[in-house]
Amino acid sequence: MEPIEIGLWVTGGLLVLVVLGMRVAFAAGLAGMVGLIWIFWAKKQYGLDDFGWALGVAVKTAGQVPHSKVSSQALSLIPTFILIGYLAYHAGLTKALFEAAKRWLAWVPGGLAVSTVFATAGFAAVSGASVATSAVFARIAIPEMLAIGYDKRFAAGVVAAGGTLASLIPPSAILVIYAIIVEQDVGMLLLAGFIPGAFSAVIYGLLIVGMALTIKGFGPPVSGFTWRQRFAALPPALPILFVVVTIIFFVYNPFGGDAWGTPTEGGAIGAFVVFLMAVWQGMRWPQLRDALMETAKLSVMIFSIIWGVLIYVRFLGFADLPGAFADWITGLHYSPMLILVCILLAYAVLGMFMDAIGMLLLTLPVVYPAVMALNGGEAVAAADSTFGMSGPMCAIWFGILVVKMAEFCLITPPIGLNCFVVAGVRDDLTVQDVFRGVTPFFVADAITIALLVAFPWIVLWLPSLA
Amino acid sequence: ATEWNVSLWGKRRAFTEHVEKLAELVSEKTGGAFTMNISYGGLSNNKENLDGISIGAFEMAQFCAGYHRDKNPSITVLELPFLGVSTLEQERAISEAVYAHPAVQKDLARWNATLLMPTPLPQYNFVGVGDVPATLADFNGMSVRATGGIGDAMAAIGAVPTSMSATEVRQALDSGVVKAVSFAPHAHMSFGTIETGQWWTTNLNPGTVNCPVVVNTDALNSLDEAERAALMGSLEEAMDYYIDFYNEKTMAAWGPALDERGIEQVTFSDDEVAAFKDAAAAPAAAAWIEEMSGRGLPAQELYDLVTGMLADQS
Amino acid sequence: MATASLVLTDDSTLSKVDRALLALESRLALLSGLAVFALMVLAVISVGGRNFFNQPLPGYVDWIEQAMPLIAFMGIAYVQREGGHIRMDIVVGQLRGRPLYVVELITTLAMLLLMVLMVWGSWAHFQRSFDFAAPMWSRDSSMDIALPIWPAKLLAPAAFAVLCLRLCLQAWAYVRAIVTGHAVAVPLIADAAQQAAMEADQLTDGD
Ligand code: NA
Ligand code: NA
C-alpha cells in the first residue's frame, strides 16, 4: 500500500476514535503511532519477522516527540499567560474591569453582555491565552448576567466568545507560536493583532445590541449609574492599565532607548507584576496554590494535545502527505482568492475537531508555504503580488486570518476548548449548553473574517506604520 | 530499488546543497534504482536527528555538533574558537581528516552512525547595532548573542553573552536587547539580522559550527555493490558543488547585501585579532583537551591533528 | 471547579485506591504549577540581571527548556482523573449506564495501549541520553551551557507511567461498572453524574 493510502486510512481511524469519545490528545497520538508502525512495516513488505523491528522503530520515533516538542522556549508562553489569567483573578483585576465596563456600557440594549465583551477585550491586553480569559470571566460575569435574567446558555456563550479576543489583542501566545512556526517577526504580528481584535469586539457588541433589540425577554439594560459612580469605578481598574503599560513599555521602549526584553520575557514580567498585585490584594498560599493548580491543569491539557497531535504529524511526515498536499494546492487552476477562501473554510471544518494550537501545528507547515507561493513567494514586492501585498505583509495578514480561524475553532462544537472550560467552571452548565449559547457569535466571526479578507488594510495598517 | 529517507531541517538552502546534489548524482548513476527522499523537518527535529539515525527511522541526516556536545564530543574539536580556518576548502579538509580518525568514528558509532561528509561553513562574525566598535575594548560590557564556545570567547574580552533562541534574535537586535549577533553569513541573511544591523565585523573569525552529514551504518552496509559505489563515488562531486555554490552564490550575495543596506564593515587590525585569540583561544583549547581526555578521548591528538593541518597549509 | 465533584467515591477498595492515587497525582500536578511559577521567576532574574547588573542569567533558554517537560507532563494523570483531557461527547453524551461504560472501557483501553507504548518509547529516548560512564551521566546536553538533558527526558516516562496506573484503575472501574451498573472512581459527564448521585440517594433513602 502506498504511504498516502496508509495516511488516509489512519486519518479515518482517528476520526472514529474521536467520535467514540476517546480523549483527543490520545486519539491523535494512537493514530500517529499505528500509522508509524504501518509505514515502517510496509517498508519491509510486511515480513512477519519484521513486525518487531517496525514496532520498535515506530515506538521509539513517537517516544521522542513529547520531550522534544515541549522543550521549547516559544511554548513557555502558554503556561505563563494562563498563569497571568488566574493571578489577575485573584488580584481582583478582572472584577474591577468588569465593574467599570458595566457602569459605563451596561445602559445599552443587552448592556451586561456588551460590558462582558468589552471587559474581556480589555483583559485581553494583559492575558495572552483565550482559555484562561474565558475561565476567569465565567466566574465573574455569568453570575451577574444570570441575576438579571439572561438565558444561562447565552451568558455562557458571551464569555466563551469574549475569551477568544485574548489571542488577537496582544499579548498573545498563539500569535507568537504562529510567528515562530513560519519564522516571521513576532513584534509586527503582535502589532497587527490589535485592530482586528478590537474590531472583533465591536462586531460582537453590535451583534448583542441587535439581538437585544429583536429578541423578547433578552437581558435588560442596566441603567442608573451616576457619573460619579462611573468615575469611581475607574481607579480600581487602573492597575490593569498599569500592567498593560508595563508590558508595552517593556517590549517597545517608548523613550527611544533599548527595549528591556523580548516579547517572551514581557509575558513573564507581566505575570510577575500581576503576582505582586495579587499578593498586595491579600492572595496567600491557599489562593496561590489554587491558581497554580488551575494553571497546571490547563497547561497539561494543552500540552498533551500538542504532543499527541505532533506524533500524528510526524507520521504524516513519513507518509509524505504534506508534500503531496502542497503540490496539489499549488497545481490548482482556480483563482488564488478562491483557493484562499477554501483554505479558510477548510480551517473552519478542521477547527470543529481540533484545538487551536494543535490545528496550527498540524497545518501550517503545509498551508503556509502554499499561501506564500500563491501570493508570489516570500520575497515578492506588493506590485508583483497576487493579493497586492509584499511577502512579509502577506505573512502577517494570513497569520491574523489563521489565528482568527483558530480562535473560531475554540468555540465551535464538538471540540471547542473555551466552551469546555466555561462548562467546567459552572456546575449548572453542560458543554452542550455553552455550545448552544455561543452559536450567534459564529455569525459575528464569519462577518469579521469576511471583512478581514476583503479589506486587508484593517490588518496591515498598523504594522505598515512601524 | 532502494529508497532512503533523509532528514534535514528548515528549507532548501546553501547549507543543504551537497545533500541535494548527492541525491541527484546517486539516482542518476544507478538509473533511479537508488533514490533519496529528502525531508525538511518532516521526519525529526534537528536536535534529534542523531536519535533518528540510531533508531533506524531514516537512513541519512544532517546535524550540528554544537547542538548537543555530549552526543558527539569528539567532533566539537572543530568548533573550538580561533582555530585559524580561513577558507571553506580548509574547513572541508580538516573536517574530513577528523571524521576519518578512529576515535571519532567510534564516538559516532554509539549512534550507529557513519560520517559521510561535512558542511563547511565560513567563520562566524558579528552583525551589530549602535556604536561601531573600533577596537576590541569596545566589546567590553556589550550584550551579544553568541552560544557555546563563541560565547565563552566573547566573554573573555568582556562582552556579555545573552541566551535566546535563534528565532528571537532579530526581535532582540531590533529592540536593542542585544547589540550584536554572531552567525555565518547565510544565517545572518535568513534570520534577518542584516535588516536591522548597522555594522559587520569582517575578521573577528572566532569560530564556526560543524555540521556533518551521517548515514545509518546498517543501511550503508546493506547497500549492494553498485549502490554503494554510486554513493561513495559521488561524495567528492557533491562537496565540490557545495563549496562552489556557497562561494559563488552565498558569499557573492553577501557583500552587495551589506552594501545595499549601508552596513558598515569593520575590520580589526592583525594585532587586535591576535590579542583576541591570545585571550580566548588557548584557555578554551586547554579546557577542551582536559575535559575530553577525562571522557577517554585522545583529545590532544585530535587537537594536534587539526592545528597541525592548518599550520602545514599556511 | 465542577469537575472535581464528577468522580463518585464510596467505601470500595477501588475507591480507596483511587483516592490514594489521587493524592500522588495532585502533588505531581502542583509540581507542574510550581514549575510555571519558577518560569516566571526565572524571567524576572534574567531580565533584572541583564538590565540592572549587566549580568544576564547564563543559559536562560537552556533552563526554560529544562523546565518545560515538568510543566507539560507532571499533571497528566491528575487531569485524566478529573476528566479534564478534552474529547467529543456527541456519542458518549447520549449513552447511559452499561452501554456508556462499555464505550468508555474501549477508549480507556485504547488510551492505555498508547501510553504503555509511550512509556517504552520515551524511556528509550531517555536511555539514549544517559550513560553511566560519562561525566554527569550525560550523553546529550543543551546547546548553550551544556546542561545534561537526561533528567528532563526522564520526566516523560515517569509521568506516563503514573498515567498508565490511572488508566488501569479506570479500566477496572469500568469493568466493575459494567458488572454492578454503578460507576465509581471515574469522571462522569455532568448530567450523568447527577443522575448517578440521585440513584445513590434513592438507595440510601430505601435503606
Ligand atoms: Na491578549
Ligand atoms: Na472546535
Side-chain angles (χ1 to χ4, degrees):
Chain A
M1 196 176 298
E2 286 295 303
I4 289 186
E5 283 175 66
I6 298 177
L8 294 175
W9 275 105
V10 168
T11 305
L14 167 61
L15 285 180
V16 172
L17 290 176
V18 169
V19 170
L20 269 185
M22 186 166 174
R23 313 274 162 186
V24 176
F26 303 90
L30 186 60
M33 178 75 85
V34 170
L36 284 169
I37 297 170
W38 194 343
I39 287 264
F40 287 121
W41 201 24
K43 201 171 170 176
K44 299 268 179 175
Q45 277 83 41
Y46 305 107
L48 274 185
D49 300 341
D50 295 317
F51 182 77
W53 175 83
L55 178 69
V57 175
V59 165
K60 287 171 188 171
T61 300
Q64 301 174 39
V65 173
H67 174 271
S68 136
K69 289 297 183 178
V70 306
S71 303
S72 133
Q73 190 197 6
L75 294 183
S76 73
L77 274 181
I78 295 171
T80 311
F81 280 133
I82 291 174
L83 181 63
I84 290 191
Y86 287 112
L87 290 177
Y89 173 76
H90 286 290
L93 293 183
T94 44
K95 194 161 184 56
L97 198 62
F98 181 63
E99 192 59 36
K102 188 170 83 181
R103 294 189 190 181
W104 283 83
L105 293 170
W107 55 272
V108 302
L112 213 45
V114 174
S115 309
T116 304
V117 164
F118 284 95
T120 53
F123 188 62
V126 174
S127 165
S130 295
V131 275
T133 307
S134 286
V136 294
F137 274 91
R139 292 165 197 204
I140 294 165
I142 293 180
E144 298 220 18
M145 282 190 270
L146 296 190
I148 63 162
Y150 275 80
D151 177 67
K152 72 173 181 179
R153 289 172 296 194
F154 183 73
V158 173
V159 171
T164 67
L165 300 172
S167 291
L168 280 171
I169 295 173
S172 156
I174 199 158
L175 269 173
V176 175
I177 289 164
Y178 170 85
I180 283 167
I181 298 176
V182 307
E183 298 181 356
Q184 289 294 324
D185 189 345
V186 180
M188 292 284 260
L189 264 159
L190 288 175
L191 211 55
F194 183 77
I195 290 179
F199 191 76
S200 295
V202 171
I203 303 255
Y204 283 171
L206 290 176
L207 175 90
I208 295 167
V209 173
M211 287 175 73
L213 289 175
T214 49
I215 298 172
K216 272 210 170 72
F218 199 83
V222 184
S223 48
F225 289 110
T226 64
W227 285 102
R228 180 189 295 271
Q229 284 172 316
R230 285 179 181 166
F231 282 103
L234 291 182
L238 278 183
I240 209 143
L241 202 63
F242 177 73
V243 180
V244 174
V245 168
T246 306
I247 296 177
I248 293 176
F249 276 29
F250 187 85
V251 180
Y252 308 93
N253 189 335
F255 305 114
D258 298 331
W260 286 13
T262 60
T264 327
E265 290 169 334
I269 296 298
F272 187 68
V273 173
V274 177
F275 167 70
L276 294 180
M277 287 176 176
V279 172
W280 175 258
Q281 288 292 321
M283 180 180 73
R284 293 297 173 261
W285 172 242
Q287 295 85 23
L288 177 60
R289 188 181 186 284
D290 279 353
L292 293 180
M293 285 298 276
E294 299 286 345
T295 304
K297 271 163 67 174
L298 268 186
S299 304
V300 167
M301 178 182 92
I302 291 172
F303 278 112
S304 300
I305 298 173
I306 288 175
W307 63 254
V309 167
L310 283 170
I311 290 176
Y312 179 68
V313 169
R314 173 90 342 129
F315 151 68
L316 292 182
F318 275 93
D320 201 24
L321 230 53
F325 181 76
D327 290 348
W328 178 71
I329 282 268
T330 39
L332 289 177
H333 295 286
Y334 300 110
S335 88
M337 188 50 98
L338 183 64
I339 296 177
L340 181 75
V341 170
C342 287
I343 288 174
L344 294 178
L345 287 176
Y347 269 115
V349 175
L350 192 62
M352 291 169 67
F353 302 98
M354 301 271 320
D355 95 295
I357 294 166
M359 187 167 83
L360 295 194
L361 294 172
L362 180 70
T363 59
L364 280 179
V366 180
V367 173
Y368 174 76
V371 169
M372 293 305 278
L374 277 183
N375 188 44
E378 296 216 21
V380 73
D384 309 325
S385 68
T386 311
F387 297 124
M389 60 190 80
S390 68
M393 283 294 164
C394 182
I396 292 174
W397 179 53
F398 183 62
I400 299 297
L401 290 177
V402 165
V403 169
K404 181 71 195 173
M405 292 311 299
E407 292 307 296
F408 184 53
C409 93
L410 290 179
I411 56 172
T412 53
I415 307 281
L417 222 50
N418 276 16
C419 298
F420 281 87
V421 167
V422 172
V425 172
R426 303 277 316 174
D427 279 323
D428 54 341
L429 285 166
T430 67
V431 177
Q432 303 311 327
D433 289 335
V434 189
F435 278 130
R436 205 158 305 157
V438 86
T439 319
F441 293 93
F442 298 168
V443 180
D445 276 343
I447 294 172
T448 307
I449 288 162
L451 290 173
L452 296 182
V453 171
F455 306 107
W457 53 265
I458 302 173
V459 176
L460 298 178
W461 178 69
L462 205 52
S464 69
L465 297 181
Chain B
T2 303
E3 193 185 354
W4 273 14
N5 282 321
V6 184
S7 176
L8 309 182
W9 70 90
K11 42 195 155 201
R12 185 173 174 168
R13 58 203 188 280
F15 187 74
T16 60
E17 278 305 315
H18 50 339
V19 182
E20 293 279 357
K21 187 71 183 174
L22 185 67
E24 190 187 311
L25 290 172
V26 165
S27 168
E28 224 168 70
K29 286 184 184 174
T30 57
F34 180 12
T35 54
M36 293 181 189
N37 185 10
I38 298 176
S39 171
Y40 287 91
L43 311 183
S44 176
N45 259 20
N46 50 10
K47 289 182 189 169
E48 269 80 35
N49 268 342
L50 263 183
D51 294 82
I53 287 287
S54 146
I55 295 166
F58 37 80
E59 287 78 11
M60 188 187 285
Q62 186 181 30
F63 64 90
C64 294
Y67 288 171
H68 31 55
R69 222 173 58 185
D70 291 357
K71 275 184 182 170
N72 40 246
S74 62
I75 47 175
T76 55
V77 67
L78 293 161
E79 296 190 346
L80 281 173
F82 299 106
L83 288 173
V85 182
S86 47
T87 65
L88 293 183
E89 289 80 0
Q90 278 182 335
E91 182 74 25
R92 172 183 176 182
I94 62 165
S95 295
E96 286 176 349
V98 168
Y99 294 176
H101 193 284
V104 174
Q105 295 185 342
K106 194 174 147 211
D107 187 21
L108 271 296
R110 297 185 302 160
W111 300 94
N112 201 14
T114 301
L115 288 150
L116 207 59
M117 54 185 178
T119 309
L121 291 172
Q123 292 287 303
Y124 274 33
N125 267 297
F126 285 85
V127 164
V129 294
D131 296 337
V132 183
T135 66
L136 285 182
D138 293 334
F139 281 102
N140 193 26
M142 184 189 288
S143 59
V144 297
R145 197 265 180 184
T147 53
I150 298 177
D152 293 343
M154 293 309 290
I157 55 168
V160 184
T162 302
S163 176
M164 64 187 53
S165 60
T167 44
E168 276 202 316
V169 162
R170 176 167 175 195
Q171 177 74 22
L173 193 65
D174 249 331
S175 57
V177 172
V178 294
K179 297 293 189 187
V181 172
S182 72
F183 279 131
H186 76 276
H188 275 304
M189 290 195 268
S190 68
F191 287 117
T193 47
I194 55 172
E195 307 303 333
T196 318
Q198 293 157 348
W199 46 265
W200 148 258
T201 64
T202 62
N203 67 336
L204 273 184
N205 300 347
T208 187
V209 286
N210 192 270
C211 307
V213 176
V214 295
V215 289
N216 173 292
T217 307
D218 297 335
L220 183 64
N221 291 339
S222 66
L223 291 179
D224 67 31
E225 201 79 357
E227 290 166 343
R228 194 185 169 89
L231 177 68
M232 303 314 272
S234 302
L235 294 177
E236 182 92 22
E237 193 180 341
M239 285 305 301
D240 290 345
Y241 178 83
Y242 169 93
I243 289 187
D244 226 43
F245 189 97
Y246 207 109
N247 282 336
E248 298 304 319
K249 299 258 169 65
T250 307
M251 291 316 284
W254 178 239
L258 292 177
D259 291 341
E260 227 171 73
R261 294 166 179 80
I263 294 174
E264 187 173 340
Q265 306 201 22
V266 196
T267 303
F268 295 91
S269 72
D270 291 347
D271 289 350
E272 288 244 275
V273 175
F276 187 10
K277 185 174 172 174
D278 288 344
W288 186 85
I289 291 167
E290 192 192 330
E291 196 202 324
M292 295 303 161
S293 300
R295 289 171 184 262
L297 286 169
Q300 186 70 46
E301 194 183 321
L302 286 169
Y303 182 72
D304 291 346
L305 170 69
V306 170
T307 48
M309 277 183 77
L310 288 165
D312 286 348
Q313 284 175 7
S314 54
Chain C
M1 287 276 292
T3 43
S5 61
L6 293 185
V7 180
L8 301 183
T9 53
D10 63 14
D11 295 335
S12 63
T13 321
L14 173 66
S15 184
K16 280 178 193 146
V17 177
D18 165 54
R19 278 167 288 162
L21 189 55
L22 175 62
L24 169 70
E25 290 164 335
S26 54
R27 278 196 193 112
L28 293 176
L30 184 60
L31 207 58
S32 277
L34 287 169
V36 182
F37 194 79
L39 211 60
M40 179 184 84
V41 173
L42 207 61
V44 173
I45 293 173
S46 169
V47 168
R50 192 175 63 230
N51 287 298
F52 298 118
F53 307 101
N54 206 19
Q55 194 65 254
L57 188 63
Y60 174 50
V61 174
D62 292 18
W63 285 111
I64 291 179
E65 289 175 359
Q66 296 276 325
M68 288 303 291
L70 212 53
I71 295 167
F73 304 140
M74 295 323 280
I76 194 167
Y78 177 75
V79 175
Q80 176 66 14
R81 197 276 179 180
E82 304 286 292
H85 289 295
I86 59 161
R87 62 159 166 187
M88 209 170 117
D89 50 9
I90 282 187
V91 171
V92 283
Q94 304 301 315
L95 299 176
R96 294 285 178 278
R98 288 194 173 89
L100 172 67
Y101 304 142
V102 169
V103 171
E104 295 276 28
L105 180 63
I106 292 170
T107 53
T108 304
L109 289 175
M111 201 169 147
L112 180 59
L113 170 69
L114 171 72
M115 291 320 295
V116 168
L117 295 178
M118 288 306 293
V119 170
W120 171 14
S122 57
W123 174 258
H125 193 50
F126 155 73
Q127 267 189 323
R128 284 193 303 274
S129 68
F130 185 83
D131 182 354
F132 260 123
M136 295 196 284
W137 300 339
S138 172
R139 237 179 86 175
D140 186 10
S141 50
S142 65
M143 187 164 160
D144 193 5
I145 57 168
L147 295 171
I149 296 184
W150 62 263
K153 284 188 178 172
L154 185 56
L155 295 176
F160 293 172
V162 178
L163 177 58
C164 285
L165 288 182
R166 168 54 61 188
L167 291 167
C168 290
L169 188 131
Q170 290 185 339
W172 169 19
Y174 285 123
V175 170
R176 187 170 172 274
I178 292 168
V179 176
T180 64
H182 296 286
V184 283
V186 284
L188 298 170
I189 299 168
D191 45 351
Q194 280 158 9
Q195 199 182 344
M198 266 159 40
E199 282 166 10
D201 284 346
Q202 280 167 359
L203 283 179
T204 19
D205 287 348
D207 282 345

